[in-house]
């Protein structure tokens, strides 16, 4: 009986945890609109829709991919998938199960989600939903520009035109992000980590997530990484938290020039 | 009279038919080798394959013979190139399949695609077991894909008039055709002239090193096209140091922008010295060669020259997206082969036969990232990116960045699909990077001494598409998947 109640509480705790992670991954401006009862602002927000779309799609894919594991029922598979997708997408990093024991394609999906991050203006790290959404839209336009090179096709978000220098800035951000992830992985391999762990450690620290894959997976920790590597990863966490440019600016010579 | 923006399907069938007929002609070129080496089985299967190919192409041309082919629009241009590459891969697979050398069609298709896209990824385990005629065809697919069979068609069949421009732009992205000559046929002739010249010179140099004519020609085809198929199981590892250095030189030449070769012929050496992309290309390879050389020298007990040669060869082979191998680099320390993995993304110069992201894009994007910081400090200032002392327009930078993003998105999606086929993490990532970048050998289970034979058939088809995506620079192919393309 006691045991049963305990499990019930754990379930409620997980659901609550999931809910608040999801809320924390939403732009805080949206919470303000919610309090102000400006629901139209919420419904019309493309980033918010994209955020929930990603979470739902990935949860569904993950549920299907782990459903065949013998000890999971449909409900449990869904719950574990959703918890893990939300925890990674919002860059929280809580863990309810060792996802590395899932099939390779299942945790690879989580690995990709480590890049995304929550909405802009939230507490999440990562590349951020708005950048990804704008850039996906931009890729579509860029393809259209092949056929109509002279046409000016504006990129619209929430009904407003996004100027080209903003998309260029977003793209430059992603370029830098990917470059840094690669660099971080190279440095970690230099410290003797294997391929998956090095890539995982690099992406999980710059994305402010925490648990990664390989030897720095969900049931492992970063204790075994050499001290130099820990300093490096700490720097990476700051880089990610301050959205790259702020920190890297200090390293750029033009900042110190008067 | 059809509406102007409607896609002209007949035109696409007609032009693909012409290309397929050309292909059947090239297939026959492997016959002399089979005759010389007395391979009767190969002779009959090549004849059957060439026959099927010729009849198919002819049927396409005859069915649309009354159609005017002079007005190829942008949309048709992109469609023709993609459809043509798929058809050529299909028909190119026939000699392997019909002869029974590669008994499974998805394997044969993978091998032919890998050839035409100049990737060099192979599903063969015993390469030397192939007949000489088939080995020649295998190298020939590289050679046709390198400078582009469509550009070749433009050069030798002057029937295409104005529309050729669209095809040219779609097959050799990045070369502004007017740079070499205002007329498209002349540009195509010049490019193929240089290409043939390089191939012949390399063949001669390899023969001077003691390689026989057959193997020299095959390796020259693979090298100048930055492909990577060798006629030997151990790739280039068994050859002398002289031959390895010759191959290094021609991998670099093949991955150099062909307009630079043209300037050399014209005696305009100044343009080469001031070309930032070429400088960046050489510097990148130089730095990594030095790094590998020093790291290997400290960790391995081998001679100085052979260590240098190994480092140089492997760096050049990966950066130029050729994919020849002289050593099993997976035996090196982890960070060293990880660097090689990263170099699989870079690619050679634009307007060359190499794949990958291409040097000019990386150069411009690195420069742009630095300027992005200055823009942060001075938000209102207009700070241009300059290459070769010329300002790069914001549209181009934007396009390069979008290309980089599309490349990375495809890379991730491809890796995800590979894990679904049961590949492990490193192999999935490696196979995708090496096929999208047209490199060939990757890491882990698809490493330098392994082949793609063990990969599930479904995965082979996906990787074949990725090779074509890489060869035609992504957007050309992705365009066909966007619904707006088919709207009037």
């Amino acid at each position: 009986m006691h045991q049963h109640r305990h499990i019930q509480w754990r379930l409620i705790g997980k659901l609550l945890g999931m809910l608040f992670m999801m809320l924390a991954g939403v732009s805080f401006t949206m919470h303000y609109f919610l309090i102000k009862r400006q629901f139209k602002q919420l419904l019309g927000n493309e980033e918010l829709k994209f955020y929930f779309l990603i979470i739902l799609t990935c949860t569904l894919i993950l549920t299907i991919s782990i459903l065949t594991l013998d000890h999971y029922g449909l409900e449990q598979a869904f719950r574990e998938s959703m918890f893990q997708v939300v925890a990674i997408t919002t860059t929280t990093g809580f863990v309810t199960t060792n996802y590395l024991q899932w099939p390779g394609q299942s945790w690879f999906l989580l690995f990709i989600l480590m890049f995304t991050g929550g909405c802009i203006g939230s507490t999440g790290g990562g590349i951020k939903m708005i950048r990804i959404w704008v850039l996906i839209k931009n890729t579509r336009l860029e393809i259209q520009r092949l056929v109509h090179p002279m046409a000016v096709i504006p990129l619209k978000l929430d009904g407003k035109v996004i100027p080209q220098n903003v998309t260029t800035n977003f793209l430059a951000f992603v370029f830098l992000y990917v470059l840094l992830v690669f660099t971080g992985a190279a440095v970690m391999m230099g410290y003797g980590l294997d391929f998956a762990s090095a890539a995982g450690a690099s992406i999980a620290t710059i994305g402010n997530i925490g648990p990664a894959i390989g030897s720095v997976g969900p049931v492992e920790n970063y204790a075994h990484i050499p001290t130099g590597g820990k300093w490096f990863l700490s720097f990476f966490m700051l880089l990610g938290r301050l959205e790259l440019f702020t920190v890297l600016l200090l390293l750029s010579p033009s900042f110190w020039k008067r | 009279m059809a509406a102007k923006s409607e896609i002209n399907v007949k035109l696409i069938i007609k032009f693909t038919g012409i290309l397929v007929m050309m292909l059947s002609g090239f297939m026959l070129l492997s016959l002399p080798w089979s005759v010389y080496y007395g391979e009767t089985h190969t002779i009959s299967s090549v004849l059957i394959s060439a026959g099927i190919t010729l009849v198919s192409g002819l049927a396409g041309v005859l069915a649309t013979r009354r159609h005017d082919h002079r007005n190829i629009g942008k949309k048709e241009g992109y469609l023709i190139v993609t459809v043509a590459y798929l058809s050529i891969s299909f028909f190119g697979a026939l000699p392997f399949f019909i002869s029974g050398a590669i008994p499974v069609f998805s394997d044969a298709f993978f091998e032919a695609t890998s050839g035409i896209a100049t990737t060099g990824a192979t599903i063969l385990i015993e390469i030397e077991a192939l007949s000489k005629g088939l080995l020649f065809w295998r190298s020939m697919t590289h050679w046709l894909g390198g400078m582009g069979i469509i550009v070749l068609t433009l050069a030798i069949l002057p029937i295409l008039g104005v529309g050729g421009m669209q095809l040219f732009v779609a097959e050799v992205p990045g070369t502004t055709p007017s740079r070499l000559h205002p007329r498209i046929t002349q540009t195509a002739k010049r490019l193929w002239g240089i290409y043939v010249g390089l191939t012949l010179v390399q063949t001669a140099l390899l023969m001077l090193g003691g390689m026989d004519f057959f193997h020299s020609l095959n390796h020259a085809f693979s090298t100048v096209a930055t492909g990577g198929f060798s006629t030997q199981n151990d790739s280039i590892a068994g050859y002398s140091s002289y031959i390895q250095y010759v191959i290094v030189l021609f991998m670099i030449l093949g991955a150099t922008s062909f307009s630079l070769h043209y300037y050399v012929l014209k005696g305009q050496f100044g343009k080469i010295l001031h070309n930032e992309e070429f400088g960046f290309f050489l510097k990148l390879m130089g730095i990594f060669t030095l790094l590998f050389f020093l790291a290997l020298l400290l960790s391995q007990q081998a001679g100085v020259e052979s260590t240098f040669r190994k480092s140089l060869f492997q760096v050049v082979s990966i950066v130029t997206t050729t994919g020849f191998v002289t050593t099993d680099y997976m035996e090196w320390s982890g960070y060293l082969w990880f660097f090689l993995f990263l170099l699989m993304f870079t690619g050679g110069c634009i307007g060359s036969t190499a794949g990958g992201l291409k040097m000019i894009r990386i150069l411009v994007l690195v420069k742009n990232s630095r300027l992005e910081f200055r823009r942060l400090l001075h938000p209102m200032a207009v700070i241009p990116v300059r290459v070769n002392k010329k300002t790069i327009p914001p549209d181009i930078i934007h396009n390069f960045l979008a290309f980089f993003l599309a490349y990375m998105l495809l890379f991730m999606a491809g890796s995800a699909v590979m894990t679904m086929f049961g590949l492990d993490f490193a192999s999935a990532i490696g196979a995708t990077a090496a096929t999208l970048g047209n490199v060939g050998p990757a890491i882990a289970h698809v490493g330098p001494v392994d082949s793609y034979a063990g990969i599930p058939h479904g995965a082979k088809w996906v990787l074949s598409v990725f090779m074509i995506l890489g060869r035609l620079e992504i957007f050309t192919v992705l365009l066909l998947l966007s619904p707006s393309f088919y709207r009037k």
Side-chain angles (χ1 to χ4, degrees), chain A residues 1 6 31 43 53-54 56 75 77 89 103 115 119 132 158 162 191 195 213 217 222 238 240:
Chain A
M1 190 62 200
H6 179 65
H31 293 307
L43 291 174
L53 184 76
I54 290 273
L56 275 179
E75 190 273 335
T89 310
F115 284 87
C119 300
I132 297 169
D158 298 338
I162 303 282
Y191 278 112
F195 185 69
I213 55 171
Y222 285 72
L238 283 177

Side-chain angles (χ1 to χ4, degrees), chain A residues 252-258:
Chain A
S252 124
S254 58
F255 179 76
W256 301 103
K257 259 181 238 156
R258 279 231 48 105

Side-chain angles (χ1 to χ4, degrees), chain B residues 36 88 123 150 209 237 250 317 327 402 424 452 486:
Chain B
Y36 180 74
I88 289 168
I123 51 87
I150 296 172
F250 281 85
S317 170
T327 181
D424 65 285
Y452 285 69
Y486 301 97

Side-chain angles (χ1 to χ4, degrees), chain A residues 105 108 115 135 138-139 142-144 146-147 164 167-169 171 175 182 185-186 189 195-196 245 248 254, chain B residues 74 78 334 338 342 365 369 372-374 395 398-399 401 404-405 412 415-416 419-420 425-426 475 479 484:
Chain A
Q105 72 268 29
F108 193 81
F115 284 87
L135 295 185
N138 181 61
T139 307
E142 202 62 44
I143 289 168
Q144 285 180 28
L146 268 186
V147 185
Q164 202 191 35
T167 44
T168 304
N169 176 276
L171 283 162
F175 176 69
F182 280 156
M189 289 205 78
F195 185 69
F245 283 119
L248 292 179
S254 58
Chain B
K74 278 207 156 58
Y78 290 118
F338 187 79
L342 291 186
L365 296 190
S369 302
E372 208 62 43
F373 292 115
R374 283 185 37 203
D395 286 351
H398 196 260
N399 175 277
L401 281 162
F404 176 81
L405 181 84
M412 298 244 177
S415 308
T419 59
M420 282 177 207
F425 184 75
F475 285 150
L479 180 65
S484 65

Side-chain angles (χ1 to χ4, degrees), chain B residues 44-190:
Chain B
S44 61
S45 28
V46 167
L47 278 175
I48 296 169
S49 310
I52 295 173
T53 310
L54 182 70
V55 170
S56 311
L58 199 62
V61 174
L62 287 179
T64 54
R65 68 182 178 284
R66 278 197 221 145
H67 209 81
D68 181 25
H69 52 254
R70 282 177 192 278
N71 42 15
I72 299 175
K74 278 207 156 58
K75 286 187 177 185
E76 281 88 4
Y78 290 118
L79 257 175
I80 287 171
V81 172
T82 310
V83 170
Y85 267 76
L86 285 169
S87 322
I88 289 168
S89 302
F90 175 83
F91 289 108
L94 290 181
F96 301 127
F97 182 63
I98 289 175
S99 66
I102 305 179
V104 184
F105 190 73
S106 45
D107 282 349
F109 185 82
F110 182 93
E111 197 76 7
T113 313
S114 176
I116 202 79
T118 71
T119 307
T122 182
I123 51 87
L124 292 168
I125 296 164
E126 271 299 321
I127 294 164
E128 289 158 45
L130 238 58
S131 67
K132 294 286 190 293
L134 288 178
L135 279 176
F136 184 78
W137 174 241
R138 193 163 163 264
S139 309
M140 179 58 97
T141 54
H142 266 342
W143 199 61
L144 292 175
M147 199 63 249
I149 186 169
I150 296 172
V151 174
L152 177 63
T153 313
L154 294 177
I156 58 183
L157 296 176
I159 53 166
L160 278 156
V162 193
M165 180 71 112
Q166 301 306 335
L167 296 171
F168 188 99
V169 172
E171 195 186 28
V172 196
T175 316
T176 317
S178 58
R179 260 210 227 148
L180 301 191
H181 195 277
R183 286 185 59 195
I184 194 80
T185 322
Q186 291 302 319
T187 307
K189 270 185 187 152
R190 270 152 222 216

Side-chain angles (χ1 to χ4, degrees), chain B residues 106 417-418 421 455-463:
Chain B
S106 45
V417 171
M418 286 305 115
F421 281 108
I455 287 182
H457 288 297
K460 281 178 192 150
W461 287 99
V462 176
L463 291 179

Side-chain angles (χ1 to χ4, degrees), chain B residues 215-277:
Chain B
H215 291 98
S216 301
L217 191 61
N218 275 281
H219 283 107
F221 279 177
S222 299
T223 314
V224 177
T226 66
F229 281 156
S230 173
T231 52
Q232 308 296 314
N233 283 338
D234 60 356
S235 193
I236 310 299
Y239 287 112
S240 69
S241 54
Y242 165 79
I243 282 176
Q244 293 186 2
Y245 282 122
V246 168
I247 289 179
V248 164
L249 176 67
F250 281 85
M251 287 195 283
I252 296 174
L253 291 176
T256 303
S257 179
F258 273 57
S259 28
L260 285 190
H261 292 312
Y262 185 67
Y263 294 141
V264 173
L265 291 179
K266 286 280 219 170
Q268 299 171 334
F269 298 105
K271 286 201 172 172
I272 296 144
L273 293 175
H274 296 123
N275 189 286
E276 277 190 55
E277 186 192 22

